[in-house]
């Protein structure tokens, strides 16, 4: 059984691996940090959040300060999908952000039965109106 | 002293001796300060004998539901009264809550609208009254009494919120409490408006009302009222809103009495108790549906509102079975002389909003929803500050704490089949607005703020863009008020308002909702000024979700040496309607154009000078290369993003004239970008070898734990640390002293100090 854990990651309970949901690439052991199977890029935040006012004239420009914060971009080595981002203080070790208790996950899904596609959550639907 | 320290010695005291010691200590307490026993506990009080008895008599779920709906309607009625009649701007936009509390002080049922953070926080002062005043012969709690409170160290968020608390009796027996709380604004602090960022100690924070009696026989005591009015800048507001809150409480009391008359006290007591117990049990059941996991995240505050520095809010969220534990250890140490600290109850109240507003909005509003969830912090931390630390800008830490919680929770919810809302990227979390004060065009002394803070951009969800300027994270059903009505009472105009700030984006497969520009200028007063109280001018205060990006940064821009009202009268074509144009084109000759972080202390403004800010965007969700190109073009058409930024960021190819999408070229550009990503990125293990450093960078003043080691808290430099468990003073120098020292060093370096004696 495979359980979708995030928009782009799933865990194969049988093989005990993190997998890419876009290209099925096997990323890393599910008992560990999925980031270890991804590629990382240290992005200058000004490239994503462009200065709105002139950086030659002003100290503050609407862009993050690249000396103060960086964006770590994690992508799938096979398909290049951006799986996660992490706004990080320069030099701060990346976080082990999802440490899964695999045995508990297996037990939970064994009780639930086959994993369906993840449910997006309740939608706002038009009311039928009062019939009386 | 606690029981443990008595038991530590060789001989254990008998129960009789222990009781005697306790009585001695109680009788000789010189000051009833905030009580840790009350303040550190957010769970429900144990069931009382009265409650047991009531539940034994009435437990039919239909009767309980009927009475709960009646009480809920009464709370909503009280809420409406405060919102319609209250004088504080906060009341008008719904920064209010009304509720019914059990006899032990737990909030059982609250109004549906308003600021739900209060729902987890007003029980503390009630428990203080129960513990200290009921049996005190000099105070007592009687029918017709009312108690007032605002000191956040005894409960609630910050000292600008005031509560009115009434005990409700039935045939001489206390059956419950009702309370009404409003963000009043002015409270006599060192700066107007009630949330001073300049406060360096609690003594700078204005009125400090521990819970005390201010109403007898349903009448406000005039002598005490006069003292309170004499302590604040808006004496009329103080009186008016005390009356409004009192009458709202009396209306709820009337609804309770109707229930008491029709169904009896047992039905009421049983309803209050079972409502809380059922919600608590349901929350544990819902948590058990999540995957067992630990999620780690951190949010970076980039200022204390006085100076820029790096302040970590560290969050580790662990779910095991039906337990959920927020571990905020490793967050920055408390600042001894900065106002951004929060008491831990405030943090918990805000975390409760993650669930009540964003995860389980179907649950009855009250204290029970967060009751079973655990919170761990370091002592004297920025998220659990001491009695001696100022906390008037606690919003900075409770909002970033909220975002850490919201970000972490989303990672649990994705795989959970049972959902009550959609998985949601963090919503913008800073109150980007103007706090204002001074003397109005009508000669009134005022101090308050623009309700625009309620226009926070929403985070994107799993299948939808975030809504623009939607609602504040602490009250999903609030309003931004009518600016035109406001302008009749204050001597300034919002010259630009509700116009979206272009390119201040949070990209993703679904983008965050954006914020709007605010430009204000004083017009009809020589004694009027503004302040801003936000972080996020250097580092975004959010994280993105599942490959989405956070928002960018939001500075304060000022234009001085101009009277824009003259410009509008004489050369209106020179006035521009965006910060981008005014700052880049500098259209007013001779004016000065400057940018600043968002912690502007109260500053008197001259007629026609411009102060300009922008609301912030919620975070994006998912890989931006998956964004529907039509969504990108729509954003261009709506002025949210410029064509150049859109093309560069989203890799969408379109005709610059017609905005027609070139599907094939877009497809190719995106495929090329995915390849480029792989080419420029490095394997994780290789990357961290260069990237990860053992200590914080020397060029930043960094506060909090570094990496996985949460035992050591950095205090501004790699050399200065504290043991997380052992509090240590953490003073910041005055920013002007820092600047003077810098300039003097420069003067000395060029030998220009003129031989000044030292
Ligand atoms: Zn892939």
């Amino acid at each position: 059984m495979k359980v979708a854990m995030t928009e782009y990651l799933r865990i194969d309970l049988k093989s005990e691996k993190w997998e890419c949901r876009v290209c099925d690439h096997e990323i890393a052991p599910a008992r560990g940090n999925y980031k270890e199977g991804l590629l990382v890029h240290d992005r200058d935040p000004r490239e994503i959040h462009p200065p709105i006012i002139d950086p030659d004239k002003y100290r503050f420009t609407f862009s993050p300060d690249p000396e103060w914060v960086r964006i770590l971009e994690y992508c799938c080595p096979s398909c290049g999908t951006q799986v996660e981002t992490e706004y990080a203080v320069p030099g701060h070790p990346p976080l082990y952000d999802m440490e899964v208790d695999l045995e508990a996950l297996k037990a939970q899904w064994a009780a639930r039965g086959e994993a369906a596609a993840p449910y997006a959550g309740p939608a706002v639907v038009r009311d039928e109106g009062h019939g009386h | 002293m606690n029981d443990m320290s008595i038991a530590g010695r060789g001989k254990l005291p008998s129960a009789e001796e222990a009781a005697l010691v306790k009585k001695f200590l109680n009788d000789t307490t010189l000051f009833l300060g905030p009580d840790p026993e009350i303040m550190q506990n957010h769970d429900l009080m144990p069931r009382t004998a009265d409650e047991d008895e009531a539940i034994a008599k009435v437990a039919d779920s239909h009767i309980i539901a009927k009475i709960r709906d009646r009480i809920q309607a009464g709370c909503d009625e009280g809420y409406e009264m405060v919102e319609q009649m209250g004088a504080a701007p906060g009341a008008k936009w719904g920064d209010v809550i009304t509720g019914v509390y059990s006899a032990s002080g737990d909030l059982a049922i609250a109004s549906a609208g308003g600021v739900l953070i209060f729902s987890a926080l007003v029980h503390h002062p009630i428990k203080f009254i129960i513990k200290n005043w009921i049996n005190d012969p000099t105070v007592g709690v009687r029918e017709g009494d009312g108690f007032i409170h605002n000191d956040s160290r005894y409960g609630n968020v910050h000292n600008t919120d005031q509560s009115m608390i009434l005990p409700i009796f039935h045939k001489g027996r206390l059956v419950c409490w009702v309370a009404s709380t409003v963000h009043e604004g002015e409270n006599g602090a060192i700066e107007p408006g009630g949330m001073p960022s300049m406060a360096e100690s609690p003594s700078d924070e204005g009125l400090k009302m521990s819970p005390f009696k201010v109403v007898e026989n349903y009448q406000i005591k005039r002598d005490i009222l006069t003292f309170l009015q004499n302590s604040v800048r808006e004496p009329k507001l103080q009186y008016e809103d005390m009356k409004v809150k009192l009458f709202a409480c009396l209306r709820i009391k009337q609804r309770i009495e109707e229930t008491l008359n029709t169904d009896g006290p047992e039905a009421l007591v049983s309803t209050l108790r079972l409502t809380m117990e059922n919600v608590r049990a349901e929350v544990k059941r819902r948590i058990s549906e999540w995957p067992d996991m630990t999620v780690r995240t951190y949010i970076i505050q980039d200022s204390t509102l006085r100076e820029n520095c790096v302040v970590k809010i560290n969050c580790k969220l662990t779910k095991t079975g039906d337990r959920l534990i927020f571990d905020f250890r490793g967050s920055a140490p408390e600042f001894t002389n900065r106002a951004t600290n929060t008491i831990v109850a405030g943090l918990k109240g805000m975390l409760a909003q993650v669930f009540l507003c964003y995860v389980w909005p179907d649950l009855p509003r009250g204290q029970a929803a967060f009751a079973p969830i655990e919170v761990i912090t370091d002592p004297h931390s920025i998220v659990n500050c001491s009695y001696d630390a100022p906390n008037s800008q606690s919003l900075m830490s409770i909002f970033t704490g909220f975002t850490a919680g919201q970000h972490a929770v989303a990672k649990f919810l994705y795989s959970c089949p049972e959902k009550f809302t959609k998985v949601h990227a963090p919503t913008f979390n800073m109150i980007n607005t103007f706090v204002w004060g001074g003397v109005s065009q009508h000669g009134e002394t005022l101090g308050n703020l623009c309700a625009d803070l309620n226009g926070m951009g929403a985070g994107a969800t799993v299948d939808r863009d975030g809504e623009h300027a939607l609602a504040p994270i602490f009250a999903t059903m609030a309003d931004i008020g009518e600016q035109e009505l406001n302008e009749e009472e204050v001597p300034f105009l919002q010259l630009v308002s509700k116009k979206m700030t272009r390119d201040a984006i949070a990209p993703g497969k679904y983008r965050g909702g954006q914020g709007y520009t605010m430009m204000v200028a004083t017009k009809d007063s020589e004694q009027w000024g503004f302040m801003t109280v936000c972080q996020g001018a250097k580092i975004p205060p959010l994280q993105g979700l599942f490959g989405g990006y956070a928002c960018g940064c939001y500075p304060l821009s000022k234009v001085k040496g101009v009277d824009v009202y003259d410009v509008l009268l004489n050369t209106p074509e020179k006035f521009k309607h965006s910060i981008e144009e005014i700052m880049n084109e500098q259209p007013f000759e001779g004016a000065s154009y400057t940018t600043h972080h968002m912690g502007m202390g109260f500053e008197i403004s001259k007629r026609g000078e411009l102060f300009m800010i922008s609301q912030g965007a919620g975070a994006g969700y998912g890989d931006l290369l998956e964004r529907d190109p039509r969504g990108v073009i729509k954003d261009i058409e709506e002025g949210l993003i410029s064509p150049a930024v859109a093309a560069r960021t989203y890799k969408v190819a379109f005709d610059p004239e017609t905005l027609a999408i070139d599907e094939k070229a877009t497809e190719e550009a995106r495929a090329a970008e995915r390849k480029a990503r792989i080419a420029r990125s490095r394997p994780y293990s290789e990357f961290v070898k260069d990237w990860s450093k053992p200590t914080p960078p020397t060029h930043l003043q960094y506060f909090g734990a570094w990496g996985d080691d949460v035992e050591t808290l950095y205090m501004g430099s790699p050399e200065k640390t504290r043991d997380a468990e052992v509090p240590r003073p953490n003073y910041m120098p005055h920013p002007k002293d820092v600047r003077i020292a810098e300039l003097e060093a420069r003067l000395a370096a060029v030998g220009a100090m003129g031989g000044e004696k030292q």
Side-chain angles (χ1 to χ4, degrees):
Chain A
M1 197 189 301
K2 299 186 181 202
V3 180
M5 298 298 289
T6 82
E7 180 75 11
Y8 301 115
L9 295 170
R10 66 172 175 242
I11 288 177
D12 184 329
L13 296 178
K14 193 147 166 270
S15 69
E16 303 194 348
K17 299 280 198 242
W18 288 102
E19 294 177 351
C20 174
R21 292 179 64 202
V22 177
C23 72
D24 300 332
H25 175 71
E26 198 172 87
I27 290 172
R31 292 179 194 277
N33 184 354
Y34 67 82
K35 288 177 182 171
E36 291 177 7
L38 298 175
L39 304 179
V40 200
H41 175 58
D42 166 17
R43 173 80 94 151
D44 183 332
R46 293 172 298 186
E47 294 170 11
I48 300 299
H49 307 286
I52 293 173
I53 56 178
D54 189 348
D56 293 333
K57 288 196 184 97
Y58 300 113
R59 290 166 58 203
F60 296 89
T61 65
F62 287 85
S63 279
D65 186 330
E67 307 270 304
W68 286 52
V69 65
R70 310 294 295 185
I71 308 173
L72 302 184
E73 297 177 342
Y74 299 92
C75 75
C76 171
S78 162
C79 67
T81 297
Q82 185 158 294
V83 170
E84 196 48 279
T85 60
E86 182 173 349
Y87 285 67
V89 180
H92 191 286
L95 298 180
Y96 182 4
D97 69 326
M98 291 173 80
E99 184 178 349
V100 178
D101 180 337
L102 196 63
E103 295 314 319
L105 194 70
K106 284 181 183 177
Q108 193 174 42
W109 282 95
R112 271 181 193 148
E114 190 57 38
Y119 168 51
V124 179
V125 290
R126 189 174 292 229
D127 191 65
E128 292 295 310
H130 283 287
H132 56 89
Chain B
M1 187 187 270
N2 58 38
D3 297 342
M4 289 295 289
S5 58
I6 301 170
R9 291 174 219 124
K11 178 182 167 289
L12 288 172
S14 67
E16 197 188 340
E17 284 167 338
L20 205 62
V21 169
K22 197 168 181 191
K23 183 178 184 315
F24 172 78
L25 289 173
N26 281 344
D27 289 349
T28 53
T29 299
L30 295 179
F31 169 52
L32 291 170
D35 189 335
E37 187 178 279
I38 294 171
M39 292 310 300
Q40 296 285 328
N41 183 15
H42 65 282
D43 205 348
L44 305 178
M45 298 297 279
R47 222 197 240 195
T48 62
D50 277 0
E51 286 169 336
D52 266 333
E53 209 174 293
I55 291 165
K57 280 193 184 146
V58 184
D60 180 83
S61 60
H62 296 289
I63 294 174
I64 301 291
K66 179 192 79 180
I67 296 174
R68 180 167 59 232
D69 286 353
R70 265 176 96 169
I71 302 293
Q72 173 78 60
C75 290
D76 291 341
E77 202 179 339
Y79 171 86
E80 286 291 329
M81 285 174 70
V82 179
E83 197 179 30
Q84 298 297 327
M85 302 192 304
K92 294 189 181 98
W93 72 65
D95 205 339
V96 168
I97 204 167
T98 54
V100 177
Y101 298 73
S102 71
S104 309
D106 292 326
L107 175 57
I109 300 169
S111 54
V115 174
L116 286 165
I117 179 169
F118 296 149
S119 68
L121 295 172
V122 183
H123 64 104
H124 300 112
I126 298 179
K127 287 167 186 170
F128 181 92
I129 294 167
I130 293 168
K131 185 167 175 177
N132 295 300
W133 299 155
I134 284 187
N135 291 325
D136 189 310
T138 67
V139 189
V141 173
R142 298 175 198 93
E143 201 159 347
D145 286 351
F147 294 81
I148 195 168
H149 158 259
N150 85 320
D151 187 336
S152 56
R153 297 171 300 175
Y154 291 82
N156 227 326
V157 188
H158 47 196
N159 293 5
T160 183
D161 301 327
Q162 296 189 20
S163 298
M164 179 67 78
I165 299 163
L166 265 62
I168 306 296
F169 289 86
H170 181 69
K171 297 187 176 157
R173 192 165 64 100
L174 179 71
V175 288
C176 64
W177 301 77
V178 297
S180 164
T181 304
V182 177
H183 178 113
E184 292 292 355
E186 183 37 42
N187 67 358
I190 188 171
E191 292 171 295
M195 305 191 297
S197 51
M198 300 299 279
E200 296 209 355
S201 86
S203 302
D204 295 331
E205 294 178 330
L207 260 185
K208 267 190 254 342
M209 299 187 280
S210 52
F212 64 85
K213 194 184 293 185
V214 69
V215 171
E216 272 175 357
N217 299 319
Y218 305 113
Q219 303 276 321
I220 294 171
K221 288 158 64 109
R222 199 68 193 250
D223 54 345
I224 296 179
L225 169 69
T226 304
F227 160 70
L228 297 177
Q229 292 178 293
N230 193 40
S231 307
V232 300
R233 291 177 182 82
E234 293 201 45
K236 287 197 291 193
L237 172 86
Q238 184 64 35
Y239 184 26
E240 197 173 340
D241 279 2
M242 280 172 67
K243 278 174 86 169
V244 167
K245 281 178 288 204
L246 174 61
F247 281 95
C249 286
L250 290 176
R251 179 63 62 87
I252 301 170
K253 173 174 174 283
Q254 186 187 331
R255 298 301 175 224
I256 291 170
E257 281 166 350
E258 287 161 10
T259 297
L260 289 169
N261 290 336
T262 53
D263 295 82
E266 289 84 7
L268 175 79
V269 169
S270 176
T271 298
L272 298 181
R273 184 70 202 179
L274 288 179
T275 294
M276 294 190 291
E277 289 185 4
N278 293 347
V279 169
R280 195 182 186 285
E282 171 65 3
V283 163
K284 287 190 89 66
R285 187 196 67 74
R286 290 184 182 190
I287 289 169
S288 66
E289 292 295 313
W290 296 10
D292 280 19
M293 181 161 70
T294 292
V295 168
R296 295 177 183 82
T297 184
Y298 66 98
I299 302 295
I300 317 164
Q301 302 181 7
D302 69 357
S303 100
T304 63
L305 299 180
R306 300 287 300 285
E307 56 271 287
N308 281 120
C309 55
V310 180
V311 180
K312 186 190 218 182
I313 300 293
N314 200 38
C315 178
K316 181 171 99 169
L317 182 57
T318 300
K319 180 264 171 185
T320 315
D322 64 359
R323 285 182 74 190
L324 187 64
I325 305 167
F326 282 95
D327 184 349
F328 281 92
R329 287 177 296 184
S331 297
E334 137 188 332
F335 287 102
T336 309
N337 62 342
R338 291 293 180 263
T340 49
N341 307 297
T342 183
I343 59 157
V344 73
L347 173 75
K348 290 172 177 175
M350 201 61 218
L351 288 171
Q353 305 325 296
V354 173
F355 299 97
L356 283 174
C357 294
Y358 294 91
V359 180
W360 303 315
D362 59 316
L363 290 179
R365 269 72 178 110
Q367 191 189 327
F370 195 70
I373 297 170
E374 298 158 64
V375 177
I376 309 172
T377 66
D378 293 317
H380 292 215
S381 126
I382 195 163
V383 291
N384 184 6
C385 73
S386 66
Y387 176 78
D388 299 311
N391 69 20
S392 45
Q393 279 297 341
S394 59
L395 297 185
M396 298 304 113
S397 291
I398 66 173
F399 290 169
T400 43
F402 166 93
T403 301
Q406 188 175 36
H407 187 231
V409 163
K411 295 188 177 180
F412 285 92
L413 293 178
Y414 191 89
S415 69
C416 178
E418 186 188 67
K419 290 189 181 70
F420 300 85
T421 54
K422 293 182 176 184
V423 173
H424 196 299
T427 283
F428 190 71
N429 60 5
M430 285 287 140
I431 44 172
N432 290 17
T433 191
F434 290 101
V435 184
W436 41 252
V439 179
S440 78
Q441 65 270 44
H442 311 300
E444 303 261 5
T445 300
L446 301 177
N448 229 298
L449 48 72
C450 296
D452 298 83
L453 67 98
N454 285 356
M456 294 177 183
T461 72
V462 63
D463 61 0
R464 206 178 57 200
D465 288 338
E467 301 270 357
H468 306 306
L470 180 66
I473 46 174
F474 50 84
T476 45
M477 285 186 277
D479 192 2
I480 52 173
E482 293 294 335
Q483 179 56 27
E484 289 75 11
L485 291 181
N486 210 7
E487 284 169 359
E488 290 178 12
E489 294 177 11
V490 292
F492 71 94
L493 300 182
Q494 280 196 29
L495 293 170
V496 172
S497 178
K498 283 85 176 173
K499 182 186 172 184
M500 309 310 286
T501 309
R502 196 175 72 155
D503 288 339
I505 50 172
K509 176 180 179 182
Y510 298 102
R511 54 135 182 80
Q514 274 170 238
Y516 58 78
T517 294
M518 291 172 73
M519 288 187 203
V520 298
T522 297
K523 187 165 167 284
D524 302 312
S525 171
E526 290 189 340
Q527 199 178 335
W528 192 259
F530 300 100
M531 60 190 274
T532 54
V533 291
C534 314
Q535 299 164 334
K538 281 176 95 70
I539 303 177
L542 305 179
Q543 294 277 357
L545 188 64
F546 302 153
Y549 291 97
C551 58
C553 287
Y554 299 91
L556 165 70
S557 303
K558 296 181 193 171
V559 185
K560 297 200 169 187
V562 64
D563 182 339
V564 292
Y565 295 108
D566 285 349
V567 172
L568 287 166
L569 193 64
N570 302 318
T571 49
E573 67 281 1
K574 280 191 185 167
F575 188 80
K576 307 291 176 190
H577 293 80
S578 70
I579 300 173
E580 183 180 348
E581 290 164 290
I582 288 179
M583 295 303 279
N584 289 343
E585 296 172 19
Q586 302 194 342
F588 318 124
E589 298 88 13
S592 73
Y593 300 78
T594 55
T595 61
H596 309 265
H597 68 67
M598 287 285 283
M600 172 175 67
F602 183 73
E603 185 173 308
I604 290 288
S605 69
K606 292 209 180 81
R607 180 186 147 99
E609 290 176 345
L610 282 175
F611 291 75
M612 306 184 288
I613 60 172
S614 172
Q615 305 287 98
Y621 179 103
D623 182 352
L624 81 181
L625 294 183
E626 293 190 357
R627 180 162 181 72
D628 186 338
R630 285 168 300 182
V632 178
I633 298 302
K634 189 159 173 276
D635 288 351
I636 296 174
E637 288 171 336
E638 292 179 353
L640 301 172
I641 190 168
S642 57
V645 172
R648 193 174 69 231
T649 311
Y650 284 102
K651 309 297 175 201
V652 175
F654 53 87
D655 182 300
E657 292 290 313
T658 64
L659 299 183
I661 300 163
D662 184 335
E663 303 277 357
K664 187 161 169 291
T666 299
E667 201 61 33
E668 285 165 7
R670 289 182 164 187
E673 175 62 10
R674 288 190 179 94
K675 284 210 176 77
R677 271 181 187 162
I678 293 171
R680 69 177 171 247
S681 305
R682 295 160 65 200
Y684 182 85
S685 56
E686 216 178 277
F687 176 84
V688 293
K689 268 184 221 153
D690 291 340
W691 164 269
S692 295
K693 301 285 185 284
T695 56
T698 49
H699 72 279
L700 298 176
Q701 265 190 300
Y702 180 92
F703 296 88
W706 185 255
D708 293 334
D709 173 15
V710 293
E711 309 285 311
T712 304
L713 302 184
Y714 289 88
M715 299 172 70
S717 81
E719 293 76 40
K720 193 174 177 201
T721 62
R722 93 166 213 213
D723 184 329
E725 288 287 320
V726 185
R728 218 184 136 186
N730 181 21
Y731 279 97
M732 298 295 277
H734 195 297
K736 282 190 174 152
D737 289 341
V738 173
R739 184 67 178 151
I740 289 168
E742 273 170 19
L743 296 175
E744 283 189 348
R746 276 206 238 165
L747 287 176
V750 297
M753 285 294 276
E756 190 182 43
K757 284 183 186 165
Q758 296 297 314

